Amino acid sequence: MEEQNIPIDINSSKLLEWLINRRHCNKDWHSNVLAIREKINNAIQDMPVHEGIAKLLSGSYINYFHCLKIVEILKETEADTKNVFGRYGSQRMKDWQDIVRLYEKDNIYLAEVAQMLIRNVNYEIPSTKKQIQKLEQLQIDLAKKEADYKKSENAARSEFNSLCKQLGISGEQIKQELGEKVKELPEIYEKIAKKTKSLEKATEFYCSFVNYTLGRQHDGGCVPMIKYVIDKGNTTTYEWVYGEAPLSVSEPPLNIDLDNDDSEKKKVEDTAYNVAIDFGEIDINGDVDFGDEVQLEAGGEIDWGDGNAEEVAPADIDYNISLEESGIVVEAAGHEGGTATGTEAYTILDNPTTRNDFINQLFELEAFLKLRLYEFKGDNSVNFLSFSQLEDSSSILQHSTLENTQNMLDNIQVILSEILDTKVQHLHNIKHSVRYVDILTSTLKQKLSLVEKMAALQKTVREKRESAAEEINTIRPLLQLLIQRTKELQVEIEKDISKKYKNRVVHLTGGISIL
């Protein structure tokens, strides 16, 4: 094979080293380039208006091959300065021709363009590509963040709407709407009291069973609160305690501050963050701080405020004697003129203490009936032994069946579901605890605040994502131009080296091949 047909392969990253080793360029070439670059900067300041020159000077570092093209263009623009000897009188032409001569001395231009090629292939192009990749990844991350913020916004809005739906309010004027909703409690309790009358058979069944089991009457009476509501309805606590209706009722006013200004909101924020509210099933046996109030318990000790305790139990009161004959001093007891005040003015189902007693007795009755149902559904031999022991009991025990026991249990569970309804629990706590109202209001406002915050964050990340997209659109054309100029530079270098080796084919290999 002839030598001329053997191609010359040069690794692009080793190009400058290859040129110096074969003495095409000197090792100190870069010290002479500084003077040439200075001349180029000065020559650029005085250039004719020409589209080709403007294109050469834009978006690229000017090299020797650009200078050759500029000289060719100046031959046209400066043609009128050419004399009879073929020389140009234009200073522009002289400057650029001088630059070309300096470049060609010791092949300085070849070393410089080789360095440019290496820098573009190894640094500039990879760096620009990496920058675009980072911006694209940033777009993906921001889009994911935006979706997360949207999800959080929807969750907060859903929680707000769900809680408002539970409370039966729109959520615009929260405290005012809650104050209006509390007014529905008397009607709700009245309906529950009426339904409690359906428990008469269940209480009779339970009491008969307890008395038969004990062989005597139960000392405190079975489920006295339920019996009382069945007989008397949802009376005031005063009537439950003293056995007679008050002459007048002065219920404490609803203590809800309807001022919704920012100072009030700020005041309760710290409390709201540190107190956990369970808006699902509320533990009716838990302690709820309703402020300073008188705790009334049937059959327990009642503190009338003067240090003299009087034991009063509904079962021990003789309803046929007057208040004076019973020895109760009305003035000392704080019920002057038979007026129900304070917590005694609340109805039994509204007063936190008596309400809890009523609910606990419902649970007691429910547990008893569930046990009886279990016995009915159990082993027949066990049932026979169990029910044979009730032969001397009351007729209600002897005639109890699976069906009527189930009906009694259903009636109890209906009342329990209504009095323990989430809305009723909220309204009860709102009425009897200012702190609860503030926390509940603050919780709702925090949900709205979170919705607004998530919307603002979505807007911020959306703007950042759009900014990244614009930056990519700006950088991508520059990358394409850089790749194009690098490929042009590669072709020029290959041609130039080929001339030095009798036009043998020259290939620059390595990283440049993947551009």
Side-chain angles (χ1 to χ4, degrees):
M1 180 181 290
E2 295 181 5
E3 182 182 359
Q4 189 176 359
N5 295 328
I6 300 175
I8 300 175
D9 294 332
I10 307 172
N11 189 293
S12 58
S13 60
K14 303 289 185 179
L15 177 59
L16 183 57
E17 184 180 345
W18 186 90
L19 291 172
I20 293 173
N21 288 341
R22 282 154 183 77
R23 300 185 183 280
H24 294 298
C25 304
N26 296 329
K27 290 183 179 180
D28 61 347
W29 65 269
H30 55 274
S31 60
N32 299 317
V33 169
L34 296 177
I36 299 174
R37 302 307 308 178
E38 185 177 353
K39 284 182 175 291
I40 290 175
N41 291 334
N42 293 333
I44 288 174
Q45 306 304 319
D46 180 29
M47 294 296 291
V49 178
H50 190 277
E51 184 179 351
I53 293 177
K55 188 175 181 180
L56 287 171
L57 299 180
S58 63
S60 179
Y61 188 78
I62 296 178
N63 55 57
Y64 167 75
F65 301 109
H66 292 152
C67 294
L68 291 179
K69 293 177 181 178
I70 290 174
V71 169
E72 292 299 320
I73 294 172
L74 289 177
K75 287 180 180 180
E76 298 177 6
T77 60
E78 309 296 321
D80 55 344
T81 65
K82 189 176 182 180
N83 58 28
V84 293
F85 299 105
R87 294 185 178 180
Y88 291 88
S90 169
Q91 185 61 39
R92 293 172 181 167
M93 178 64 82
K94 291 179 180 179
D95 290 341
W96 286 102
Q97 286 178 336
D98 187 33
I99 290 170
V100 170
R101 282 194 296 270
L102 290 174
Y103 259 136
E104 291 175 348
K105 184 180 180 182
D106 297 328
N107 292 325
I108 293 176
Y109 74 92
L110 195 55
E112 185 188 46
V113 293
Q115 187 188 51
M116 286 183 185
L117 183 72
I118 294 170
R119 184 173 64 246
N120 288 350
V121 172
N122 293 343
Y123 303 104
E124 297 295 338
I125 294 176
S127 175
T128 307
K129 285 183 176 179
K130 190 174 182 181
Q131 186 178 1
I132 292 175
Q133 289 174 353
K134 283 184 177 180
L135 290 171
E136 289 174 342
Q137 184 61 45
L138 179 61
Q139 278 187 301
I140 295 172
D141 294 341
L142 291 173
K144 189 180 296 183
K145 276 189 177 181
E146 186 178 355
D148 291 340
Y149 291 145
K150 183 64 177 177
K151 185 178 179 181
S152 298
E153 179 193 355
N154 292 338
R157 193 184 301 278
S158 177
E159 290 173 6
F160 175 82
N161 292 335
S162 177
L163 188 51
C164 285
K165 187 177 180 181
Q166 284 183 5
L167 297 169
I169 62 176
S170 64
E172 295 177 1
Q173 297 292 332
I174 298 173
K175 283 191 174 182
Q176 184 175 349
E177 292 173 18
L178 290 176
E180 291 296 321
K181 279 292 174 182
V182 168
K183 296 177 181 179
E184 298 178 5
L185 276 176
E187 183 180 352
I188 294 172
Y189 288 143
E190 190 60 32
K191 289 180 180 178
I192 293 174
K194 288 181 180 178
K195 290 184 178 181
T196 304
K197 294 184 182 297
S198 66
L199 304 183
E200 186 172 1
K201 289 184 179 180
T203 56
E204 185 181 351
F205 182 32
Y206 179 48
C207 292
S208 298
F209 185 89
V210 171
N211 293 336
Y212 179 78
T213 303
L214 293 176
R216 58 180 174 81
Q217 291 289 327
H218 188 278
D219 294 338
C222 300
V223 290
M225 188 68 70
I226 297 177
K227 286 182 178 180
Y228 182 84
V229 174
I230 291 173
D231 295 337
K232 301 282 187 176
N234 187 31
T235 67
T236 61
T237 306
Y238 180 100
E239 185 173 348
W240 158 255
V241 174
Y242 301 107
E244 63 179 12
L247 299 178
S248 61
V249 178
S250 178
E251 186 174 308
L254 185 62
N255 191 13
I256 295 181
D257 183 9
L258 298 179
D259 184 12
N260 289 316
D261 60 14
D262 293 336
S263 61
E264 185 272 344
K265 178 181 177 182
K266 184 177 180 181
K267 179 180 68 177
V268 301
E269 269 183 354
D270 294 337
T271 305
Y273 280 115
N274 295 310
V275 178
I277 304 177
D278 182 10
F279 294 111
E281 295 183 2
I282 297 181
D283 182 8
I284 53 88
N285 293 316
D287 295 331
V288 181
D289 182 11
F290 295 110
D292 295 327
E293 61 179 21
V294 179
Q295 298 294 329
L296 298 176
E297 291 187 6
E301 268 191 8
I302 303 172
D303 183 6
W304 303 113
D306 61 353
N308 297 321
E310 188 76 25
E311 289 190 359
V312 180
D316 299 333
I317 296 176
D318 184 0
Y319 295 100
N320 297 317
I321 62 174
S322 65
L323 193 62
E324 290 77 14
E325 291 173 338
S326 67
I328 298 176
V329 181
V330 174
E331 292 184 1
H335 303 285
E336 184 176 356
T339 301
T341 60
T343 56
E344 292 181 354
Y346 293 130
T347 63
I348 289 174
L349 298 183
D350 194 18
N351 187 314
T353 303
T354 54
R355 180 178 185 273
N356 284 349
D357 290 341
F358 179 77
I359 293 172
N360 288 337
Q361 290 176 22
L362 286 175
F363 280 127
E364 181 183 343
L365 200 55
E366 181 191 37
F368 165 74
L369 292 174
K370 283 183 176 179
L371 182 59
R372 300 306 298 168
L373 281 176
Y374 176 77
E375 292 174 351
F376 275 120
K377 297 175 181 179
D379 184 67
N380 290 332
S381 60
V382 176
N383 290 340
F384 177 77
L385 179 62
S386 175
F387 291 113
S388 64
Q389 297 173 356
L390 300 177
E391 289 179 354
D392 299 331
S393 64
S394 62
S395 60
I396 191 170
L397 289 180
Q398 294 183 28
H399 295 93
S400 61
T401 63
L402 174 64
E403 184 179 356
N404 59 32
T405 305
Q406 182 66 59
N407 289 337
M408 289 187 283
L409 178 60
D410 292 341
N411 291 336
I412 292 173
Q413 290 177 338
V414 167
I415 296 172
L416 274 172
S417 65
E418 291 191 10
I419 198 168
L420 295 178
D421 181 72
T422 305
K423 177 182 176 181
V424 177
Q425 294 279 23
H426 281 310
L427 294 180
H428 176 79
N429 291 336
I430 287 168
K431 182 175 181 178
H432 296 284
S433 174
V434 178
R435 186 163 172 257
Y436 188 90
V437 177
D438 291 337
I439 294 172
L440 188 59
T441 303
S442 179
T443 300
L444 285 168
K445 289 183 177 179
Q446 286 171 27
K447 299 296 181 186
L448 285 179
S449 177
L450 183 59
V451 169
E452 295 172 359
K453 182 180 179 181
M454 291 299 104
L457 288 173
Q458 286 178 69
K459 182 180 178 182
T460 301
V461 297
R462 191 182 305 114
E463 290 174 352
K464 288 183 178 180
R465 182 166 54 82
E466 292 172 354
S467 176
E470 291 176 1
E471 193 171 351
I472 289 174
N473 293 335
T474 302
I475 297 174
R476 204 182 295 279
L478 296 179
L479 174 63
Q480 297 302 321
L481 180 61
L482 184 59
I483 292 174
Q484 178 187 342
R485 293 294 172 85
T486 303
K487 288 181 177 180
E488 292 174 357
L489 196 61
Q490 173 191 359
V491 173
E492 296 290 352
I493 294 173
E494 289 175 345
K495 287 181 179 178
D496 197 276
I497 296 175
S498 178
K499 292 177 183 178
K500 299 181 184 300
Y501 288 89
K502 300 177 182 180
N503 295 323
R504 286 174 61 184
V505 177
V506 176
H507 293 146
L508 292 179
T509 62
I512 197 168
S513 60
I514 63 174
L515 296 181

